[in-house]
Amino acid sequence: MSLSSPSPTPSPSAPAGSARVAAVVRHAVAAGLLGEASPVAGFIDTDGVRASVAALHEAFPGAPAVLHTFAAKASSLVPVLRLLADCGMGCEVASPGELRLALDAGFAPSKIVLDSPAKTRDEIRRALAVGVAVNADNLDEVDRIASLRPADAVSAIGLRVNPQVGGGSIGAMSTATATSKFGVALFDPGARERVVRAFAAHPWLTRLHAHVGSQGCSLELIAAGIAETYRLAEEINETLGRRQVTGLDIGGGLPVNFADDEVRPSFAAYAAALRAAVPGLFDGRYELVTEFGRSLLAKNGFIGALVEYTKDAGGRRIALTHAGAQTATRTVFMPDAWPLRVGAFDAGGRPKDGPVVVQDIAGPCCFAGDVVAHARELPELRAGDYVVLYDTGAYYFSTPWSYNSLPRPAVYGFGLGGTSDGQDPVVRFAPVRDAQTLDSVSAESGLAHADALLGLGS
Ligand SMILES: Cc1ncc(COP(=O)(O)O)c(C=O)c1O
């Protein structure tokens, strides 16, 4: 396994999309990164990540001051964050843990934005001491920041608003509904006036923040939410008679197409929708911050998993694999909202062909619903084959669920070069996160306190 950095741009002769994944699976099986001893792993396409970041930057050409941050929740892995920092990104964090990861990854504090919805006093103190930007979730939090903020603080401070423009197709992911828990609900009685008063009282409050997402929201809905936020900024500045709001943090939320290889909608389409809905956003009067997560990473990663057994039950073929709810949690619990494409590969990691069979792709968790794909038509899977869950580079392998004490899978980055023999691309892997050991599982499960409960009773 090579530990060297991958080349910054994909080689023109390197395959793309599913063909790219196929090349990587074959090499991963050959290298033992997938197999009996490591039956599930995540893979990140480093060339793809660089290309996605470039597409984001290109969508905002000539825009005056834009800080593009990556939403760390979408891939909370230090090497991934460091790759993104190397690409010129900033980082959006939503917890003390994510702030720590962002700093460890090397983001300058001036390029970090803290958005968590329930900040403790300690969290705020630390953020202000480090100098990262902070978006208050509500007006009580503004008061709390006011009481903790040192006079010489350098952190940009903003207020998150909920433009209440409505939900998308996934209720649990919709942040701009009338009753969303996030931000100040802008159209509730008296809310606007209270927001203006808060800005009047605190001259250091210089940003507005809105995030209309995530996944399932149309470009029009996202743009409508940003337009409302822009209107509020204009109103505040006009009412106060000074340009106090100087920055607009417009969040992330660009949806991802999970149905095929195409990147749609693109960052260019997003920027065009914004230009149409809010032309004033780009005229240089506001510094902009974006916070994309899924749209930067989803299509740049996949999960590979061994098929341990197959069986028939009630007329249904079932493949028992090692990718289930511990790594594809949302897909298992909300299969209609988060369907994933599945690929079938043989024991050598080559794409399978042949007649298709209707199959359930089940995971290793000990509950009946642990199925990542129901009644999927795929070439017949056999024990020793592999499945690939496509487009899982964001929110999947980086945020595992520890049900059944299943260990966190290993994650590898890869880069592809041109073909070495006219056919076979050169694939280089680098470790991103080691697979969790059973010692670690036990330690996380209270091993150090093993006797703690024995002496408590009377
Ligand atoms: C405040 C905030 N910003 C950015 C994001 C990233 O959203 P997405 O991954 O859809 O781009 C989220 C996601 O939950 C969020 O809550």
Side-chain angles (χ1 to χ4, degrees):
M1 191 182 348
S2 158
L3 295 181
S4 59
S5 301
S7 49
T9 46
S11 155
S13 57
S18 313
R20 193 168 173 82
V21 171
V24 177
V25 172
R26 194 159 34 82
H27 282 262
V29 170
L33 305 183
L34 267 178
E36 282 260 347
S38 47
V40 56
F43 296 87
I44 297 166
D45 183 344
T46 57
D47 301 325
V49 170
R50 287 188 187 276
S52 295
V53 172
L56 172 59
H57 282 101
E58 280 159 22
F60 289 76
V66 187
L67 172 62
H68 293 294
T69 68
F70 172 71
K73 59 181 82 64
S75 188
S76 45
L77 295 164
V78 171
V80 175
L81 297 179
R82 184 161 292 183
L83 172 66
L84 288 158
D86 189 54
C87 295
M89 295 288 298
C91 193
E92 185 265 354
V93 298
S95 71
E98 286 182 0
L99 175 55
R100 167 68 190 266
L101 297 184
L103 292 169
D104 285 352
F107 288 100
S110 60
K111 291 186 121 185
I112 298 176
V113 180
L114 174 68
D115 277 346
S116 50
K119 300 175 199 69
T120 63
R121 288 182 179 78
D122 273 352
E123 193 178 348
I124 293 170
R125 270 190 211 100
R126 164 118 178 97
L128 295 175
V130 172
V132 305
V134 179
N135 286 321
D137 175 78
N138 55 66
L139 292 171
D140 288 342
E141 198 166 82
V142 171
D143 290 343
R144 189 176 274 193
I145 292 171
S147 70
L148 298 171
R149 184 180 168 276
D152 59 351
V154 296
S155 294
I157 311 287
L159 172 65
R160 179 166 182 171
V161 294
N162 169 10
Q164 292 177 299
V165 288
S169 62
I170 309 175
M173 302 302 291
S174 296
T175 57
T177 58
T179 56
S180 163
K181 74 170 187 173
F182 291 111
V184 177
L186 208 46
F187 290 96
D188 280 12
R192 235 180 157 82
E193 293 72 21
R194 283 195 291 277
V195 168
V196 176
R197 278 203 299 275
F199 275 79
H202 303 301
W204 41 260
L205 205 47
T206 57
R207 277 188 186 171
L208 281 173
H209 172 223
H211 164 69
V212 181
S214 282
Q215 188 65 16
C217 293
S218 68
L219 293 185
E220 291 70 29
L221 188 76
I222 296 172
I226 294 168
E228 285 301 343
T229 313
Y230 170 83
R231 269 193 280 282
L232 176 63
E234 295 281 270
E235 182 185 325
I236 293 170
N237 287 343
E238 204 174 308
T239 308
L240 301 188
R242 57 178 187 258
R243 292 209 60 76
Q244 181 169 325
V245 181
T246 54
L248 291 173
D249 180 337
I250 59 178
L254 185 68
V256 166
N257 157 41
F258 286 95
D260 55 46
D261 275 349
E262 194 189 341
V263 175
R264 125 180 133 248
S266 62
F267 287 117
Y270 168 88
L274 272 194
R275 280 177 198 282
V278 211
L281 200 62
F282 295 90
D283 66 11
R285 287 172 307 130
Y286 294 99
E287 290 168 5
L288 301 181
V289 179
T290 70
E291 304 173 343
F292 293 104
R294 183 174 291 104
S295 48
L296 283 167
L297 261 289
K299 288 202 128 28
N300 294 317
F302 68 90
I303 294 166
L306 181 69
V307 178
E308 194 70 52
Y309 303 101
T310 62
K311 61 163 71 165
D312 293 283
R316 173 63 50 82
R317 174 62 56 84
I318 302 168
L320 294 167
T321 80
H322 287 274
Q326 92 280 25
T327 179
T329 318
R330 281 179 177 160
T331 296
V332 166
F333 286 106
M334 298 175 71
D336 295 334
W338 299 103
L340 288 173
R341 286 185 293 153
V342 180
F345 292 77
D346 68 17
R350 284 171 293 269
K352 289 196 93 162
D353 48 20
V356 296
V357 175
V358 174
Q359 298 162 83
D360 281 1
I361 311 302
C365 298
C366 197
F367 68 94
D370 186 34
V371 176
V372 292
H374 296 262
R376 199 59 69 86
E377 290 189 351
L378 287 169
E380 184 173 11
L381 287 163
R382 303 231 179 247
D385 287 347
Y386 296 93
V387 290
V388 160
L389 308 184
Y390 292 99
D391 305 329
T392 45
Y395 296 101
Y396 279 84
F397 44 73
S398 62
T399 44
W401 184 41
S402 58
Y403 186 78
N404 280 153
S405 300
L406 282 159
R408 289 186 285 272
V411 179
Y412 302 95
F414 65 85
L416 258 68
T419 57
S420 57
D421 56 3
Q423 285 197 338
D424 200 15
V426 175
V427 182
R428 290 183 293 164
F429 292 103
V432 169
R433 181 185 67 201
D434 296 333
Q436 191 177 20
T437 63
L438 295 185
D439 284 346
S440 161
V441 169
S442 185
E444 282 191 3
S445 304
L447 176 64
H449 310 292
D451 291 334
L453 304 183
L454 304 183
L456 281 183
S458 50

